[in-house]
Amino acid sequence: MSAAPARLGLPDLGYGVGLRRAHMAEVLRTQPAFDWFEIISENFLDSHGWSRHTLQQIAERYPVVMHGVSLSIGSSDELDFEYLATLKRLAKEIGARWISDHLCWTGVGGETTHDLLPMPLDERSLHHVVERVRIVQDVLDRPLVLENPSTYARFAADTLSEWEFLGRVAEQADCGLLLDVNNVYVSSVNHGFDPRRYIDALPAQRVVQMHLAGHRACGTHILDTHDTPVSDAVWHLYRYATRRTGSVATLLEWDSNLPPIDRLLAEVDKARAWGARESPFDAGVFDAGVFAPDAARPEVLTETTGGHPAFAVAEFRA
Amino acid sequence: MNETVDFPSQQAWLQRAIVAPGDAALRERATDFLRSSADLGSGARLAIYQRSYRARLLEAFHAMFPVLLHAIGADALDVFALDFLAQQRPKHVSVGRIADGFAAYLDATRPRQTAGDAPGWEEFVLDLARLEHALLEISDARGLEDASPPPCDVRALGDAELLRARPAPAPCLRLLASRFPVHRYWRAVRAGEDPEPPDATACWLALTRVDYRLSPRELAPVQWELLARCDGNTPLHTILVDVAALGLRPAPDQVLARIWLSNFVTQGLVCMG
């Protein structure tokens, strides 16, 4: 396989958090001790109001990364070049360090579900995604960074595992990877595989960034809800992953039940500790029991009364 | 399951099954398209995506229409939103655009009144939906915050120059002719109050954004009509003739137009080229 430079030559930005509208004014005013911020691109693409204005000021003070949810790289629809052009303009305007999105599709037939839907995983869809990633990178004039989504279903006709699919896309299209450790864990429980197998299979030198987030257990499965602290199992898996990849930019996602900034800072400090080379939390890292699905079950969310996978909450005026 | 099924067909089925959870024929094909496990069958896995689709879009509607939500409750808003979304599926990359056309849908589907009846609850709901959607647009529209050169001093223009001027609407200006004072109701609810729905009273509203803050203003009908004709192409002289023909009071003469336009510029409603 290719000898890509570590993180494709992109910087290790340290420890950051997803920038949400409810916190923007406070971030600007108090400049909390996050190393960097990640934005949901679509929340700013069409905005020419307060949030875009404030983002520009924050981007003058912190490194900012753009994380998208609508690229739909795996869709059988045509690529949306108008969307890509808008993405490129915003990236230039705020000096985005990189642009990421998900290995998924969001809609076909000109419609969108606004969800990150699971890819059919076979050789034809692999070729399709590789070709599209190349095109996107040409248009954006920079590497694309692709994230593994959390999934709740797999297609019966799949012939490849998601980790093989994603690793081959990265190598063949020469793109970066955003390893969402929580998503690996969520999918491992929902599909019954060892999450370390997923991480071991990815080309470590292509991992540009990691995501951490909370999830909720629903009895038969777990949901990637981004509304709770990171679970112990995910912290252990994060530690496991950083041993493979070395130090990479790490970001805490928290989208629903958004806590105050101090609480986010504390959670990010936990990430610093777990990601440190000499971690005080080494014990149990290689204990397979830590990743057993039952570890996800004590907290049960009734889906009929609330909760859905969260990746980007629509944000409107305060 | 057909071994040669291609991925576009898989995607097309999954999307249809997600957006139409009541379609039993689509649901039954989950066993053909999706894998099962001991804990979670293919139908249950499909149901996670079906619930997620509905919950995410309804959550977005609640966030976009907080005052309408307050007025009619979640159950009613969800019924309207789901029926609208069934007719007009999301297409835009931003979930913030899923309600484009929602007010028009409410207008098209509301019970029709007999001519001469006072505006009823349906009109209040429609006016409120129009107001909140307009405010969403204004929040994201281009504004005058970074405009250059600085606003023109309308009071300093000579008479001939004033009549030749072609005032243009601020890019974030939205005009609303409302049958209820929904802007007052909106303000009260956003301030944490629980007001009674207002009685019907026609209002002519100019909604804009000044220094990144929403600014709803109530105008006299004649001012509203004048403002509505400021398109950046039509000279003020023509606008005054057109508005005068409506027979509204006070009749819009050059003296009043100078005062009103000056205020409109100061209030961020129009710009003078």
Side-chain angles (χ1 to χ4, degrees), chain B residues 28 99 103 159 163 183 213:
Chain B
E28 284 166 9
D159 288 347
L163 291 172
H183 60 302
R213 290 179 184 276

Side-chain angles (χ1 to χ4, degrees), chain A residues 1 126-127 130 134 167-175 206:
Chain A
M1 284 300 175
L126 174 68
H127 177 75
V130 167
R134 288 177 177 148
R168 286 174 62 187
V169 166
E171 294 286 10
Q172 292 177 27
D174 195 19
C175 71
R206 291 189 177 276

Side-chain angles (χ1 to χ4, degrees), chain B residues 9-210:
Chain B
S9 301
Q10 292 171 299
Q11 292 182 334
W13 167 78
L14 181 56
Q15 179 169 300
R16 288 200 308 273
I18 287 170
V19 303
D23 189 323
L26 285 169
R27 204 169 55 237
E28 284 166 9
R29 296 216 63 196
T31 52
D32 295 333
F33 278 101
L34 301 181
R35 295 184 182 188
S36 290
S37 64
D39 281 350
L40 210 54
S42 52
R45 291 176 183 276
L46 170 62
I48 294 171
Y49 287 100
Q50 290 171 326
R51 285 193 297 270
S52 171
Y53 172 75
R54 176 188 158 108
R56 177 171 292 112
L57 297 187
L58 291 181
E59 185 176 285
F61 261 84
H62 290 192
M64 287 188 283
F65 297 96
V67 179
L68 185 59
L69 175 67
H70 178 91
I72 67 175
D75 289 348
L77 179 56
D78 291 355
V79 167
F80 288 140
L82 290 173
D83 191 49
F84 165 70
L85 290 167
Q87 294 180 30
Q88 189 171 314
R89 300 236 175 86
K91 291 185 169 59
H92 196 272
V93 293
S94 169
V95 71
R97 297 282 298 276
I98 60 168
D100 289 1
F102 180 55
Y105 152 82
L106 290 176
D107 191 19
T109 56
R110 72 189 160 94
R112 295 293 157 184
Q113 292 189 307
T114 308
D117 282 356
W121 177 250
E122 298 85 5
E123 281 77 15
F124 171 70
V125 170
L126 175 57
D127 283 352
L128 198 47
R130 282 178 171 150
L131 174 73
E132 293 210 281
H133 191 261
L135 294 176
L136 283 171
E137 289 184 332
I138 293 163
S139 295
D140 282 339
R142 293 187 188 280
L144 297 176
E145 286 88 359
D146 299 319
S148 61
C152 161
D153 182 358
V154 176
R155 291 172 194 268
L157 294 176
D159 288 347
E161 198 178 1
L162 177 68
L163 291 172
R164 282 198 306 271
R166 300 166 192 267
C172 53
L173 173 68
R174 300 291 183 276
L175 296 175
L176 193 63
S178 174
R179 289 150 293 195
F180 290 82
V182 282
H183 60 302
R184 291 179 214 151
Y185 181 81
W186 181 87
R187 263 202 186 112
V189 172
R190 296 298 281 172
E193 299 170 23
D194 184 19
E196 288 295 316
D199 293 333
T201 305
C203 294
W204 287 263
L205 302 175
L207 313 165
T208 191
R209 192 182 76 217
V210 177

Side-chain angles (χ1 to χ4, degrees), chain A residues 4-5 34 49-50 91 98 118 164 170 172 177 179 191 202 239 279-280 283 318:
Chain A
F34 298 111
W50 179 86
W98 58 80
E164 180 182 359
Q172 292 177 27
L177 292 174
L179 175 57
H191 301 299
L202 295 179
R239 179 72 183 130
S279 171

